[in-house]
Amino acid sequence: MKTVLMVAEKPSLAQSIAKILSRGNMSSHKGLNGACSVHKYTGTFAGQPVHFKMTSVCGHVMTLDFLGKYNKWDKVDPAELFSQAPTEKKEANPKLNMVKFLQVEGRGCDYVVLWLDCDKEGENICFEVLDAILPVMNNAHSGEKTVFRARFSSITDTDICNAMTRLSEPDHNEALSVDARQELDLRIGCAFTRFQTKYFQGKYGDLDSSLISFGPCQTPTLGFCVERHDKIQSFKPETYWVLQAKVHTNKEESLLLDWDRVRVFDREIAQMFLNMTKQEKEAQVEATSRKEKAKQRPLALNTVEMLRVASSALGMGPQHAMQIAERLYTQGYISYPRTETTHYPENFDLKGSLRQQANHPYWADTVKQLLAEGINRPRKGHDAGDHPPITPMKSATEAELGGDAWRLYEYITRHFIATVSHDCKYLQSTISFRIGPEHFTCSGKTVISPGFTEIMPWQSVPLEESLPTCQKGDTFTVGEVKMLEKQTSPPDYLTEAELITLMEKHGIGTDASIPVHINNICQRNYVTVESGRRLKPTNLGIVLVHGYYKIDAELVLPTIRSAVEKQLNLIAQGRADYHQVLGHTLDVFKRKFHYFVDSIAGMDELMEVSFSPLAATGKPLSRCGKCHRFMKYIQAKPSRLHCSHCDETYTLPQNGTIKLYKELRCPLDDFELVLWSSGSRGKSYPLCPYCYNHPPFRDMKKGMGCNECTHPTCQHSLSMLGIGQCVECENGVLVLDPTSGPKWKVACNTCSVVAHCFENAYRVRVSADTCNACEAALLDVDFNKAKSPLPGNETQHTGCIFCDPVFQELVELKHAASCHPMHRGGPGRRQGRGRARGRRPPGKPNPRRPKDKMSALAAYFV
């Protein structure tokens, strides 16, 4: 029988689809990468019996990046990134070995059915999958179709089975539009980001941002926030006056009347009107009206509206809300959450979706009433031609989902029920009065039929006191007329919901990328999220936007990015050439970049006002090896050391604490060592500031500390403190942390593995001798006699941390990244210390280690 390989975008999605298509009659096992499962069953395809294999990827298989030296900031002029720098597709997550996994599963298959998400990104992933598996699939007969695309909008039996019977082909044009966007964002963003990061971090010490990033979508997004900030700062309040009248309808009740002139900005004129009306004792009815009005039910729900409500009403950030929505979708609770459409197609089963909610404890009565009386056809919205509006696909309870997932699901469900409900109808009554020469009005609303507001009570018509029955010519006693002094108020900072609206209006980003852009400006410390999820720009964000306006306003205005988005959409529709759009857009931004570099002094003038120069920032910490004066430690992101005498800046490891390391010096350059630590339970290691930035040996890279230094005799180096290869990662070495006593630690110098060992030992040293079984370095451990855990009250022991049974009880793994089965029980432990015998190349097995031996430490990962 022939074999059909089916690929979904996420493991959970693959399982759900396979379960539906196989009717639960399938077998499953983990794939070689440990992250994706493979589900197998038999069935029919194209009229013949076949074996089905359903698996998945984990999002994008590949990512776009620059080749070789072009990834090194110090060796390449950012201007070269626009055209000269070659790019390549690399694995998005090398640890997953996704290409190898797909090739293993695709080898020998005859057909492939692609179940990736049905949007532009999904189409792009389709071709990433095809690039991996087509070379290893069986050769097709002449003219035989072997590649199929499944298009679906929800994880329901009906939708999945229908998709399987209506297979199409992947859309190459949509995939190309994503390729174009990726390349534009990479080249433009990296060029501007590298230049302004190096320029400003080399001059100022308190920017408090590790990256001064620029993005074609990110920067206009920030621009909206700063524009509102500028309006607030430039706002000048004005005083105005209003008249307020009160009339008695009977002895106990009265009405407040609104002045038809609304307000005046001249106090003397307001006083004149007050004097004219205060003399009157009666208010005469000039006109009455009673009109029936309707408040329309909402349009069907699309992504942007869901994100707006999640932020404004549920207090969820857009990215968090999108992640929850995607999880609800993969679990089958809602339809596909990325859609621009607000119009249901004629053949959409609205009643079927509504029946799913008929027994829900919160809205069963409303749903049953709608089904009994007949649903109201949803309003005609916008059909973007992508996916149906976001719809609940099955019932769920608060106990089932919990927390934010339930709150978002509840809103989506209530919104859907509201779209098939009737409009809210109410009676609006208005009475116009005349008091002397001035006219006043009062109005009230009375609900006739609540309609959709029963299921969305926050949208209900506010209760107002009923107006008295009267007719033209009736009079009422004037209780009082008074003049109120008020002031105009400034606008508030943009909420996330308002920002999303502006981004959609101006075509900045897509329904999928809008949350990412908003999250980016928060992560970069360009804005902070205040109460009410309002976005307040920081000094850095304000200065950057003002600088862009000063040099080239188009860098921050939404117009140019909106035009680019339109061109990308034309590529997706097959109406524009990929290479022409790419070349033209890069040429425009390349010219802008050169002008920006030449004019950077304009932005620098603004920076000088708001930020302090490096020399005036930070506190003295360690001595420079060149001038032997103290260098200042700048703690603000990115943390670094600066020598004002040599005018040199040295980057440091981030996200930890830095302190002086016993005033010890590097034997190579005489710089004082510093100690980086991620906390008492995490990793720590010493480093030389100069070697960290300028690797002294060929086998070292920038950003390596003493725990990776291959100096043959330095007491702090990997050569003297390394023990053996990490049991989890391929290239890491477990290194003794000499500063950790009496709670000693051994940590991998590459991944996050930390093993706590030999607690209360007063001395632990790495021996020159090695283990006969695994070639790891032995450890010499000395305990106090009173606290010794060694057998027979011994105080000293030398052994292998991996193989010695005495040490097995004294090693405790506290933290490690996830370990994939492909790493378990793999090749023997490589030697990882730079002694005279040298390192064994990664991946080469240790011939002296018994194949069936599993160390005590390795057992913690299995």
Side-chain angles (χ1 to χ4, degrees), residues 804-823:
D804 193 318
V806 174
F807 281 168
Q808 286 183 9
E809 300 298 322
L810 306 179
V811 177
E812 181 184 5
L813 183 73
K814 284 295 182 184
H815 178 69
S818 63
C819 178
H820 301 303
M822 61 186 294
H823 293 153

Side-chain angles (χ1 to χ4, degrees), residues 442-457:
C442 69
S443 60
K445 296 173 184 173
T446 306
V447 175
I448 299 171
S449 171
F452 78 93
T453 61
E454 273 190 330
I455 197 69
M456 297 178 83

Side-chain angles (χ1 to χ4, degrees), residues 241-246 256-257 259 270 274 277-278 440 478-485:
W241 290 265
V242 299
L243 294 190
Q244 189 181 80
K246 183 188 288 186
L256 279 177
L257 310 184
W259 191 23
L274 177 65
T277 53
K278 282 186 76 171
F440 295 82
V478 176
E480 65 172 342
V481 181
K482 58 184 178 181
M483 182 173 71
L484 303 177
E485 182 179 303

Side-chain angles (χ1 to χ4, degrees), residues 260-496:
D260 284 6
R261 293 184 190 273
V262 184
R263 61 186 179 182
V264 294
F265 287 89
D266 189 312
R267 192 181 194 287
E268 292 183 359
I269 292 177
Q271 187 65 48
M272 177 191 73
F273 285 128
L274 177 65
N275 294 338
M276 293 166 65
T277 53
K278 282 186 76 171
Q279 298 172 4
E280 302 295 325
K281 302 296 183 185
E282 290 185 338
Q284 185 173 354
V285 176
E286 292 279 290
T288 62
S289 68
R290 291 165 67 86
K291 291 182 180 178
E292 186 176 307
K293 292 192 173 183
K295 183 174 184 178
Q296 281 191 313
R297 61 199 181 280
L299 285 168
L301 187 64
N302 67 2
T303 305
V304 169
E305 181 62 19
M306 179 190 74
L307 295 177
R308 271 197 289 252
V309 173
S311 175
S312 60
L314 304 180
M316 297 182 202
Q319 191 168 41
H320 178 56
M322 200 69 225
Q323 289 169 347
I324 292 172
E326 287 174 352
R327 192 162 67 247
L328 289 172
Y329 160 67
T330 57
Q331 292 171 343
Y333 290 107
I334 65 172
S335 63
Y336 192 61
R338 292 198 188 108
T339 178
E340 297 175 12
T341 294
T342 57
H343 176 74
Y344 281 107
E346 293 299 323
N347 61 351
F348 193 91
D349 187 7
L350 293 166
K351 283 188 177 179
S353 297
L354 195 60
R355 285 192 196 99
Q356 294 283 342
Q357 308 295 333
N359 295 314
H360 197 281
Y362 284 11
W363 42 74
D365 292 343
T366 303
V367 170
K368 286 175 181 175
Q369 187 177 351
L370 277 172
L371 290 170
E373 296 176 359
I375 65 171
N376 196 18
R377 186 72 197 168
R379 289 168 56 195
K380 186 173 177 62
H382 169 65
D383 185 1
D386 49 1
H387 287 273
I390 304 169
T391 308
M393 302 313 295
K394 67 179 181 182
S395 183
T397 62
E398 186 173 3
E400 196 175 335
L401 298 178
D404 288 345
W406 160 252
R407 295 197 300 135
L408 187 61
Y409 172 83
E410 180 186 17
Y411 168 72
I412 291 169
T413 306
R414 287 184 181 274
H415 189 109
F416 167 69
I417 298 170
T419 62
V420 294
S421 299
H422 295 276
D423 292 344
C424 170
K425 295 180 180 178
Y426 62 94
L427 190 67
Q428 180 158 311
S429 305
T430 305
I431 306 175
S432 298
F433 292 88
R434 181 175 58 80
I435 304 177
E438 291 304 294
H439 293 269
F440 295 82
T441 305
C442 69
S443 60
K445 296 173 184 173
T446 306
V447 175
I448 299 171
S449 171
F452 78 93
T453 61
E454 273 190 330
I455 197 69
M456 297 178 83
W458 60 90
Q459 294 276 14
S460 59
V461 175
L463 293 173
E464 296 178 358
E465 54 185 319
S466 57
L467 299 182
T469 303
C470 59
Q471 56 189 5
K472 183 178 178 180
D474 289 351
T475 58
F476 293 88
T477 304
V478 176
E480 65 172 342
V481 181
K482 58 184 178 181
M483 182 173 71
L484 303 177
E485 182 179 303
K486 297 185 178 183
Q487 276 195 331
T488 56
S489 56
D492 211 335
Y493 285 103
L494 282 179
T495 62
E496 285 174 332

